[in-house]
Amino acid sequence: MGLQCGIVGLPNVGKSTLFNCLSNARAQAANFPFCTIEPNVGVINVPDERLIKLAEISKPQRIIPTTIEIVDIAGLVKGASKGEGLGNKFLANIRETDAIIHVLRCFDDENVTHVDGSVNPVRDKEIIDTELQLKDLETVEQRIARVQKQAQTGGDKLAKRLHEILVQYKAVLESGKSARTVEFENKEDQKLAKELFLLTDKPIMYVCNVDESSAAAGNKYVDAVREAVKDENAEILVVAAKTESEIAELETYEERQMFLEEVGIKESGVARLIQSAYRLLNLETYFTTGQVETRAWTYLKGTKAPQAAGVIHSDFEKGFIRAEVIKLEDFVKYGSDSACREAGKLSVEGKEYVVQDGDIMHFRFNV
């Protein structure tokens, strides 16, 4: 399944620098607002040690990791909801993404201009929150105007329920909160709410961009962000984007690990960001492996076997018969499908099987 995360933030907070070290693309990184005008798109491989373990055993002709698309979107400014700066373009680009990576400047550097004159990540966060909330409020009010008459006549139950959802969103947005703070227990309501494509309903991750000395432990700015978002259902990540971009330039894994150890970090910001994105979007990975190919596939947690098969090809889901499943640890222990089968470690599962993270799958189907 395709996954797209949009990197957003005020100008000059380190968005393009982070994008560069994530994708190894080379978005222009300059010290002035609106450096990024067209959204840069980079496709990055998802690092997964399990895939390497499987490949060492199967010795395939090719190894294919799963990927995430990262979009570097132009910097937002106050008034974007009314079209200021690159506002309308920014909001259109962000609406197309699955999740938001909100970069906050948490470092001091007199050589890097701040669009508002001083470093204050909480204020910066609130500026973008407000602009997105105002745009969502405009969207909600327009939809209310369209469905209100249908809802009031009483004949259209769907319109009535949608109207109730919109009214809930309107109240929350007018109070200065984001749409994601509204929770719906009813699955039908969740579906209706999702189809509104509200900007502030998207899952969000705050990336605190720090200097190298703060990469391991954070700093006062990071502490302020943690306090400000403690009641949000959001991921927080501390990354030294400039340092990460230097690490990305190194050619070997050993060199990169040595650099990380020198600054006191166990794992690169790239790996941590992707892992956080997966948690944020409730995603997991299953594998297929053999002599031709060892491959990782992404699916939504809770997915049943036929729908997981459909991630490979729609025909697999349509003609699903059964799935043969091996747990990763068993495959690593016994070393092959046939050895796992002989040891009783291969299970045959039907349409109701819920796929587990790390499963090795082989689908039987007939179309």
Side-chain angles (χ1 to χ4, degrees):
M1 60 186 293
L3 170 64
Q4 190 180 82
C5 294
I7 299 180
V8 306
L10 292 176
N12 292 353
V13 297
K15 300 185 311 303
S16 296
T17 303
L18 179 64
F19 172 83
N20 285 342
C21 69
L22 281 170
S23 66
N24 287 328
R26 291 290 170 261
Q28 184 187 14
N31 182 23
F32 56 89
F34 308 131
C35 166
T36 309
I37 296 175
E38 294 299 326
N40 293 281
V41 180
V43 178
I44 61 175
N45 292 334
V46 176
D48 196 325
E49 291 182 2
R50 298 173 299 179
L51 189 68
I52 306 304
K53 281 183 181 178
L54 289 176
E56 287 173 352
I57 296 168
S58 298
K59 295 181 172 50
Q61 295 172 27
R62 59 181 178 268
I63 304 168
I64 304 178
T66 189
T67 60
I68 291 181
E69 223 174 65
I70 301 290
V71 185
D72 179 24
I73 299 170
L76 185 67
V77 294
K78 196 177 292 184
S81 60
K82 302 301 180 186
E84 292 294 326
L86 297 168
N88 289 330
K89 198 173 189 68
F90 171 96
L91 296 167
N93 290 332
I94 196 173
R95 200 178 294 280
E96 296 169 6
T97 63
D98 298 299
I100 298 170
I101 299 170
H102 185 164
V103 182
L104 296 167
R105 177 173 170 176
C106 294
F107 65 90
D108 291 308
D109 188 339
E110 60 185 21
N111 295 317
V112 180
T113 306
H114 191 290
V115 71
D116 281 325
S118 63
V119 178
N120 186 334
V122 175
R123 175 202 59 208
D124 296 352
K125 170 195 173 301
E126 289 171 352
I127 288 172
I128 288 190
D129 282 351
T130 299
E131 295 306 324
L132 298 183
Q133 288 162 9
L134 287 171
K135 197 66 182 178
D136 276 350
L137 184 58
E138 180 185 308
T139 300
V140 165
E141 287 175 338
Q142 288 173 349
R143 290 297 300 272
I144 286 175
R146 289 208 296 268
V147 303
Q148 193 164 19
K149 191 173 182 181
Q150 293 170 283
Q152 286 174 341
T153 59
D156 191 334
K157 291 183 179 179
L158 192 63
K160 186 177 181 182
R161 189 63 204 130
L162 180 57
H163 183 262
E164 290 172 358
I165 289 169
L166 288 164
V167 168
Q168 278 183 267
Y169 275 141
K170 185 173 185 290
V172 165
L173 291 164
E174 285 177 335
S175 71
K177 294 180 181 178
S178 295
R180 72 180 68 87
T181 61
V182 180
E183 294 184 5
F184 300 100
E185 293 183 7
N186 184 296
K187 285 190 177 180
E188 196 60 40
D189 289 353
Q190 290 171 3
K191 186 171 180 290
L192 286 171
K194 191 173 183 180
E195 288 171 356
L196 293 171
F197 297 104
L198 297 180
L199 300 170
T200 64
D201 197 32
K202 294 180 183 294
I204 190 163
M205 178 196 312
Y206 294 105
V207 174
C208 296
N209 185 17
V210 301
D211 54 32
E212 186 175 306
S213 63
S214 304
N219 56 30
K220 64 181 181 181
Y221 297 124
V222 175
D223 293 340
V225 172
R226 290 191 194 281
E227 180 62 26
V229 306
K230 65 182 181 182
D231 295 327
E232 293 187 33
N233 182 23
E235 293 273 337
I236 298 178
L237 200 63
V238 178
V239 172
K242 188 177 178 182
T243 304
E244 290 284 342
S245 65
E246 293 170 3
I247 293 170
E249 296 287 344
L250 299 174
E251 292 186 6
T252 68
Y253 174 80
E254 289 74 18
E255 286 178 314
R256 291 193 289 271
Q257 286 303 114
M258 196 178 298
F259 197 133
L260 288 170
E261 287 174 14
E262 285 176 6
V263 296
I265 306 171
K266 292 181 179 179
E267 197 172 21
S268 76
V270 173
R272 288 184 289 121
L273 190 146
I274 294 167
Q275 289 159 6
S276 293
Y278 263 54
R279 287 195 299 270
L280 195 65
L281 292 167
N282 215 18
L283 298 175
E284 293 180 336
T285 302
Y286 74 81
F287 302 96
T288 53
T289 190
Q291 292 182 341
V292 174
E293 177 183 281
T294 295
R295 185 164 182 165
W297 303 89
T298 299
Y299 65 94
L300 192 64
K301 186 176 181 179
T303 295
K304 292 183 179 179
Q307 289 70 49
V311 173
I312 298 176
H313 196 286
S314 58
D315 284 351
F316 283 32
E317 181 176 356
K318 289 175 187 173
F320 179 87
I321 299 172
R322 65 181 183 273
E324 296 175 355
V325 184
I326 301 172
K327 297 303 176 185
L328 181 75
E329 56 271 23
D330 291 330
F331 190 87
V332 171
K333 180 179 178 180
Y334 293 99
S336 70
D337 287 0
S338 57
C340 286
R341 191 187 300 271
E342 288 173 16
K345 297 298 183 181
L346 184 150
S347 63
V348 177
E349 306 290 351
K351 293 181 178 181
E352 293 304 308
Y353 176 72
V354 177
V355 180
Q356 302 298 304
D357 187 45
D359 277 354
I360 298 166
M361 312 286 291
H362 182 74
F363 298 105
R364 301 291 184 182
F365 69 102
N366 184 24
V367 177

